[in-house]
Amino acid sequence: MKGDKTDSQSRPASLAATAKAVTGYLLWLRDDAGRSRTVPVAVTGRLGPAGHPVYADQDGTVQVEITDDGRHRALTVSPSPIVVAKPLV
C-alpha cells in the first residue's frame, strides 16, 4: 500500500513487528472422538500463502499460518482440526 513502511523482506512493518513479538502459539486440537490435545508451535520465519507468519511444531508435522488477530489456517493435513490458537509471548 502506498506509504506503508516495509521490513527487509518487503513485509508491512506491522506484520514484521507482530512476527517478532509472538514467538509461538499453543494450539488446541480436537479429534473425532471429541478428545482435545495441545501442541506448541514456534515461528518459522516463513510466510504462508496469505502473507502471514507460519508456525510449526518441533518435527514440522503441524504447520499453521496465523494472522495478527489470531485467525489460523492449517497448512498441513491433520487428523485433528485446530480449535484455538493462543499466543505465547
Side-chain angles (χ1 to χ4, degrees):
M1 296 199 293
K2 189 175 182 179
D4 279 355
K5 294 182 179 182
T6 58
D7 70 358
S8 62
Q9 296 179 354
S10 300
R11 299 182 294 188
S14 61
L15 177 59
T18 300
K20 291 177 186 171
V22 177
T23 59
Y25 280 82
L26 186 59
L27 306 178
W28 274 263
L29 294 86
R30 180 162 297 132
D31 66 16
D32 291 339
R35 296 177 299 235
S36 62
R37 66 182 176 112
T38 58
V39 176
V41 292
V43 68
T44 64
R46 297 186 333 259
L47 297 178
H52 301 287
V54 172
Y55 297 82
D57 65 348
Q58 190 172 20
D59 59 7
T61 58
V62 176
Q63 295 183 26
V64 60
E65 180 178 21
I66 302 177
T67 66
D68 293 345
D69 62 358
R71 289 179 291 134
H72 53 274
R73 174 173 51 165
L75 299 177
T76 55
V77 177
S78 171
S80 304
I82 300 167
V83 178
V84 177
K86 180 180 176 180
L88 303 171
V89 181

